[in-house]
């Protein structure tokens, strides 16, 4: 019986926990990700095109 109470208590604590990732941290992560995409745009475009070409060429053999 005490295990059920303990589990309910832990779930309630977890749901009521106000500590978390703040807006500033989320914005910083987004800025870094967008910067990486802008910096490596041509390499990413080339990589995606190569992957899709390989998928297209190998799917025609199925």
């Amino acid at each position: 019986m005490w295990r059920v109470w303990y589990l309910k208590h832990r779930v309630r604590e977890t749901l009521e926990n106000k500590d978390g990732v703040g807006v500033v941290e989320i914005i910083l992560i987004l800025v870094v990700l967008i910067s990486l995409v802008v910096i490596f745009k041509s390499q990413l475009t080339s990589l995606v095109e190569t992957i899709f070409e390989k998928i297209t060429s190998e799917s025609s053999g199925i």
Side-chain angles (χ1 to χ4, degrees):
M1 184 69 175
W2 67 271
R3 289 182 183 179
V4 174
W5 176 84
Y6 179 73
L7 181 61
K8 286 181 183 179
H9 179 69
R10 293 291 294 162
V11 168
R12 188 175 295 125
E13 273 185 353
T14 303
L15 292 176
E16 292 175 354
N17 189 0
K18 301 296 184 213
D19 296 335
V21 179
V23 175
V24 174
E25 288 86 358
I26 293 174
I27 291 173
L28 288 174
I29 291 170
L30 287 174
V31 166
V32 169
L33 289 175
I34 291 170
S35 300
L36 288 172
V37 168
V38 168
I39 292 170
F40 296 108
K41 181 181 177 184
S42 62
Q43 289 91 343
L44 289 171
T45 305
S46 174
L47 176 67
V48 170
E49 287 176 354
T50 304
I51 290 171
F52 279 121
E53 286 174 5
K54 186 165 184 153
I55 290 172
T56 304
S57 67
E58 291 190 10
S59 67
S60 64
I62 295 178

